[in-house]
Amino acid sequence: MAKITPRRKLALENPEEVYTLAQRLLAPVKPYAKWLVLAGVVIAVGLGAWGVNARLEERREEKSAAALALVTPKADLEAPNAAAAQALEKFIQAHSGTRAAREAQLTRANLLYRLKQYDEAAKAYTSLLDGRDPGWDTLVNESLSYCYEGMGNFKKAAGVLKPVAEQSS
């Protein structure tokens, strides 16, 4: 009886063609293999460090938002007083660089305005101007004009509102 040979063996009789194709594709990369592995490791470490930093920043933002929630009701709900402004000032110093600190700065400036300390409120509002967000700058400029109006400096109040009026449609 004839020996049965699988067809598969016939297909793989000349595997050198496939192997040489793989070798031809890897040959230009082989001298740079160490550098490619090193670049991959550097990228992985960089992405890991960025992820850890992002998570730490997120935790910091969450903690500052929670702390602001404890300070804000004292400033908003009660009759305006200097103690609430001092508490907000301490919060701003303790949590500088966070979104909650920026919100606290706005609340403090508003509180100073309600206390009729227009000069201090104007300084607080001026420190909030940064030019990154036109909506934010419009709000701050409008509030700043109210401070100048309270001080009796109507020309300066109008000057602050002039760019706001030009931007609005």
Side-chain angles (χ1 to χ4, degrees), residues 41-64:
V41 167
V42 167
I43 289 172
V45 167
L47 287 174
W50 176 77
V52 167
N53 186 34
R55 182 65 183 139
L56 290 175
E57 186 65 28
E58 182 181 334
R59 281 187 191 161
R60 182 173 176 236
E61 289 287 344
E62 288 173 1
K63 285 181 182 178
S64 64

Side-chain angles (χ1 to χ4, degrees), residues 6-152:
R7 292 179 180 220
R8 211 168 162 204
K9 188 175 182 183
L10 295 174
L12 295 176
E13 274 183 11
N14 197 2
E16 296 168 3
E17 289 179 16
V18 175
Y19 191 66
T20 56
L21 177 63
Q23 279 183 332
R24 270 188 277 148
L25 291 175
L26 292 176
V29 178
K30 197 171 186 178
Y32 306 108
K34 287 189 280 186
W35 294 109
L36 290 174
V37 169
L38 180 65
V41 167
V42 167
I43 289 172
V45 167
L47 287 174
W50 176 77
V52 167
N53 186 34
R55 182 65 183 139
L56 290 175
E57 186 65 28
E58 182 181 334
R59 281 187 191 161
R60 182 173 176 236
E61 289 287 344
E62 288 173 1
K63 285 181 182 178
S64 64
L68 180 63
L70 297 174
V71 175
T72 302
K74 295 176 185 174
D76 284 341
L77 299 177
E78 296 176 2
N81 59 21
Q86 286 296 95
L88 286 170
E89 181 65 31
K90 287 179 184 177
F91 175 84
I92 292 165
Q93 291 173 355
H95 299 277
S96 64
T98 62
R99 291 185 296 269
R102 190 171 162 109
E103 185 179 334
Q105 283 179 304
L106 184 63
T107 304
R108 179 180 172 270
N110 184 17
L111 185 62
L112 290 170
Y113 175 78
R114 291 189 322 190
L115 289 170
K116 298 185 180 178
Q117 296 177 0
Y118 300 121
D119 190 39
E120 287 294 317
K123 288 177 186 175
Y125 279 123
T126 304
S127 71
L128 287 168
L129 289 172
D130 60 2
R132 291 184 292 177
D133 184 9
W136 177 267
D137 287 344
T138 301
L139 172 73
V140 171
N141 279 328
E142 185 176 345
S143 301
L144 188 58
S145 73
Y146 284 123
C147 291
Y148 291 139
E149 182 182 347
M151 288 189 280

Side-chain angles (χ1 to χ4, degrees), residues 1-5:
M1 183 174 218
K3 184 177 177 185
I4 300 174
T5 59

